[in-house]
């Protein structure tokens, strides 16, 4: 298990090197990648903190969010036309309008937000059940070649994010003396799966960052990926 924590540290160090002397974002894809690295770095540290203390189930929820972020980056960056990144950022107007509608705070600022939201909605035809994207997470995973990861580790971790009977056995147990207990203390459950998914997700973000900004770190990142694959093979997490 120690090697998984070391891997996250190694990936974090790689991110520091990639960000060295980085300029502020000038384009939408640059902003997306810088945001993704910042969020992934902070969340991966929180995941390590929780896992080291035996709270893998709770860390799993954060790992799931990293998977979705990395997948979103992959989906958007793979689109060479720039349509998806514009659609992604334009959706902010829809969210801001919804917030104002809920608060019923119709001031002058709202008028501009409403106008921009209407422009964005007319151009991109958002579906409120899909958020900024036209497709589901599962479909996005298939399109980006993440299908196996989605159907295995990601699906397992989803059970701990929502109220789901699949996660009951992690909390309701019989002890060695056959006494019933509600297990809310630290344990080793889901720690390996959570750390693997976190490392994989973080690495995918760095691959795109390296490629977009021509940092020439691909071979270095590839060595880290090989370590992840080797650990997965040893632990049966393929």
């Amino acid at each position: 298990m120690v090697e998984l924590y070391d891997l996250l540290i190694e990936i974090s160090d790689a991110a520091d090197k990639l960000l060295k002397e980085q300029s502020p974002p000038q384009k939408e894809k640059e902003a997306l990648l810088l945001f993704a690295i910042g969020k992934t770095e902070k969340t991966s540290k929180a995941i390590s903190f929780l896992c080291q203390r035996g709270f893998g189930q709770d860390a799993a929820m954060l790992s799931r969010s990293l998977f979705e972020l990395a997948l979103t980056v992959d989906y958007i960056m793979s689109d060479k036309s720039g349509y998806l990144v514009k659609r992604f950022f334009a959706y902010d107007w829809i969210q801001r309008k919804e917030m104002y509608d809920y608060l019923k705070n119709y001031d002058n600022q709202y008028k501009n937000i409403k106008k921009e939201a209407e422009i964005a909605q007319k151009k991109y035809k958002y579906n409120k059940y899909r958020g900024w994207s036209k497709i589901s997470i599962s479909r996005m995973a298939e399109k980006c070649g993440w299908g196996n990861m989605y159907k295995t580790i990601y699906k397992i971790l989803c059970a701990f994010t929502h109220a789901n009977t699949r996660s009951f056995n992690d909390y309701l147990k019989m002890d060695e003396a056959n006494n019933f207990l509600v297990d809310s203390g630290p344990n080793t459950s889901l720690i390996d799966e959570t750390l693997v998914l976190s490392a994989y997700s973080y690495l995918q973000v760095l691959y795109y960052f390296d490629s977009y900004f021509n940092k020439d770190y691909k071979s270095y990142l590839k060595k880290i990926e090989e370590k992840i694959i080797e650990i997965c093979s040893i632990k049966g997490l393929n």
Side-chain angles (χ1 to χ4, degrees):
M1 196 179 300
V2 173
E3 56 272 288
L4 286 172
Y5 293 113
D6 291 341
L7 263 181
L8 280 177
I9 293 172
E10 193 171 348
I11 295 171
S12 178
D13 289 342
D16 286 341
K17 293 173 182 176
L18 285 168
L19 286 170
K20 189 176 181 179
E21 299 180 357
Q22 178 64 41
S23 302
Q26 302 297 319
K27 300 177 181 179
E28 290 160 326
K29 284 189 175 182
E30 293 177 8
L32 173 67
L33 287 168
L34 286 165
F35 159 75
I37 282 191
K39 177 169 173 51
T40 305
E41 170 65 14
K42 187 168 187 176
T43 302
S44 68
K45 279 185 165 58
I47 288 167
S48 288
F49 181 88
L50 288 170
C51 286
Q52 286 169 351
R53 286 155 181 80
F55 296 102
Q57 297 100 327
D58 298 278
M61 302 178 197
L62 297 177
S63 182
R64 178 180 182 267
S65 73
L66 287 193
F67 176 91
E68 292 177 355
L69 174 60
L71 177 58
T72 297
V73 169
D74 191 345
Y75 183 56
I76 291 174
M77 296 300 295
S78 296
D79 171 38
K80 305 303 180 185
S81 71
Y83 168 81
L84 288 178
V85 73
K86 292 184 182 302
R87 180 185 176 91
F88 176 80
F89 278 100
Y91 189 65
D92 184 51
W93 291 111
I94 305 298
Q95 296 178 102
R96 291 170 69 182
K97 178 182 178 297
E98 288 175 352
M99 180 184 71
Y100 269 84
D101 285 344
Y102 177 75
L103 297 174
K104 295 182 170 56
N105 185 11
Y106 302 139
D107 56 14
N108 288 331
Q109 186 178 9
Y110 170 79
K111 293 178 181 178
N112 180 59
I113 291 173
K114 183 174 183 289
K115 176 184 176 183
E116 294 294 338
E118 288 172 349
I119 292 172
Q121 181 62 38
K122 183 177 180 180
K123 183 174 183 179
Y124 296 108
K125 297 178 175 58
Y126 295 109
N127 181 323
K128 66 178 181 178
Y129 300 108
R130 293 293 185 208
W132 75 271
S133 175
K134 289 182 179 179
I135 61 176
S136 65
I137 289 291
S138 60
R139 179 65 183 133
M140 197 181 293
E142 289 177 12
K143 288 177 70 71
C144 294
W146 292 41
N148 287 340
M149 188 71 77
Y150 175 86
K151 292 172 183 175
T152 54
I153 296 179
Y154 177 83
K155 292 292 284 185
I156 293 171
L157 301 188
C158 281
F160 291 84
T161 303
H162 308 292
N164 191 310
T165 54
R166 279 284 76 221
S167 64
F168 273 35
N169 289 340
D170 262 51
Y171 300 97
L172 308 181
K173 300 180 178 180
M174 304 298 290
D175 66 14
E176 294 179 358
N178 206 35
N179 296 311
F180 171 73
L181 60 86
V182 176
D183 186 1
S184 58
N187 55 47
T188 59
S189 179
L190 286 184
I191 289 178
D192 283 348
E193 293 87 346
T194 295
L195 293 173
V196 164
L197 188 64
S198 301
Y200 179 82
S201 300
Y202 200 164
L203 193 64
Q204 302 315 304
V205 171
L206 295 189
Y207 268 130
Y208 269 107
F209 189 92
D210 172 68
S211 176
Y212 187 89
F213 289 104
N214 297 311
K215 298 284 186 173
D216 198 26
Y217 266 76
K218 186 176 181 180
S219 59
Y220 180 77
L221 298 176
K222 188 67 178 175
K223 290 178 182 177
I224 298 177
E225 183 178 12
E226 289 170 357
K227 291 180 184 179
I228 296 175
I229 293 171
E230 182 181 359
I231 291 172
C232 285
S233 178
I234 294 171
K235 293 181 177 291
L237 297 173
N238 305 71

